[in-house]
Amino acid sequence: MNEDIAHKLREAAEAHRPDRARMLARLERGMAGPAVRHRARPFARSGIRVALAGFAAAGVLATGGLAVAAIVTGPSPSPSATVTTPATPSPAVGSPRPTPTRPTPVAPPPATTPGSSHPTPPTTSPSPTADETRNGPLSSAGSLDSRSTIYWTQSNLTLKTTQPLTSLTIEIRIVQTGAVKNTGTWQTLPNDDFTVTVQEADGALVYRWVLKPGVTVPAASHEFAAQFNNGTAARTAGGDGYRVDAQGPGGAASVRGGFVPTR
């Protein structure tokens, strides 16, 4: 009879499906606080009931121990943490994007002379008035030849006369910067008609044409030119100038002026 009971107990134990959640809850309550004692129900003193109860308890304990061992040895479930990433707001379709603006360029302040609070005016070649470049039968114009460079310059003088001239003196003055050197002269009138000299005087290189006695300059347009080296430093014609003194049938006439670039 004991073998039959044991067989039934084994079948009951194999067919038993433990409530895992309830067992885990019991384990958690057991770990959290003191064990709670339950009153044992009074069992009948008959041998059969005592034996059945003992075998049943043994089967339940064996099955429960296996389940607990499986739960303890198995991987404990880890709660999955949910991380919420704030969504980056996307610009609405059709919304205008800000357009970068370029800063407005600011013009630099004008240059000032050291020790002075007033702006230094730009250097320009003197512009002779109409009264200075025209007088009587004479009219004149000074210019820098287009073939001039930073190392070499040719200053041109165009002289027009509406009457023949029996006396003529032309003087071209080039400011001496310390490196100006004469390289020659030329004119459209015959060389033998003039006495030409070049010399330094009063801080300038002076070119002079003097009409020889007995020679007459015809009424026409004539060219005179002074050529010189500038040196290695750049220079301007701001201080350069010319003067013409002539004598004709109508009397004496004089003109003067400066040299302006032709390009």
Side-chain angles (χ1 to χ4, degrees):
M1 184 170 180
N2 291 337
E3 293 180 359
D4 186 27
I5 293 173
H7 179 69
K8 290 182 177 182
L9 288 174
R10 284 195 298 273
E11 289 180 353
E14 292 176 358
H16 178 70
R17 295 295 181 267
D19 190 344
R20 184 176 179 180
R22 183 177 297 177
M23 295 179 72
L24 285 174
R26 288 181 179 179
L27 287 175
E28 290 177 358
R29 286 197 301 272
M31 294 175 66
V36 180
R37 296 182 179 181
H38 300 278
R39 291 185 177 182
R41 295 179 180 181
F43 291 95
R45 296 183 177 276
S46 61
I48 295 174
R49 291 182 178 179
V50 171
L52 289 174
F55 282 111
V60 170
L61 290 175
T63 305
L66 292 175
V68 170
I71 294 171
V72 173
T73 56
S76 59
S78 58
S80 58
T82 303
V83 179
T84 304
T85 303
T88 303
S90 59
V93 178
S95 60
R97 295 180 179 269
T99 302
T101 58
R102 296 183 178 178
T104 304
V106 179
T112 58
T113 303
S116 174
S117 59
H118 300 287
T120 302
T123 303
T124 57
S125 300
S127 296
T129 63
D131 293 337
E132 293 177 319
T133 60
R134 294 175 180 272
N135 182 234
L138 302 181
S139 62
S140 61
S143 63
L144 295 180
D145 194 274
S146 59
R147 294 167 294 181
S148 299
T149 67
I150 61 173
Y151 306 106
W152 177 86
T153 302
Q154 177 174 302
S155 297
N156 297 329
L157 168 60
T158 301
L159 178 64
K160 295 180 181 180
T161 176
T162 58
Q163 297 178 3
L165 303 176
T166 56
S167 173
L168 178 63
T169 300
I170 296 174
E171 190 175 273
I172 293 178
R173 300 178 66 89
I174 305 299
V175 174
Q176 178 59 269
T177 60
V180 175
K181 293 183 179 180
N182 170 42
T183 58
T185 64
W186 69 267
Q187 70 279 334
T188 55
L189 291 169
N191 292 333
D192 294 338
D193 290 354
F194 293 89
T195 300
V196 182
T197 60
V198 180
Q199 59 184 2
E200 292 195 21
D202 301 328
L205 192 62
V206 182
Y207 295 77
R208 184 178 287 110
W209 290 259
V210 179
L211 186 66
K212 292 180 179 180
V215 178
T216 300
V217 175
S221 177
H222 309 286
E223 298 284 339
F224 299 84
Q227 300 172 336
F228 54 92
N229 285 334
N230 303 327
T232 57
R235 71 180 301 275
T236 64
D240 301 343
Y242 66 86
R243 179 184 176 91
V244 178
D245 296 304
Q247 184 76 37
S254 297
V255 291
R256 63 179 179 175
F259 299 93
V260 296
T262 57
R263 56 184 179 198

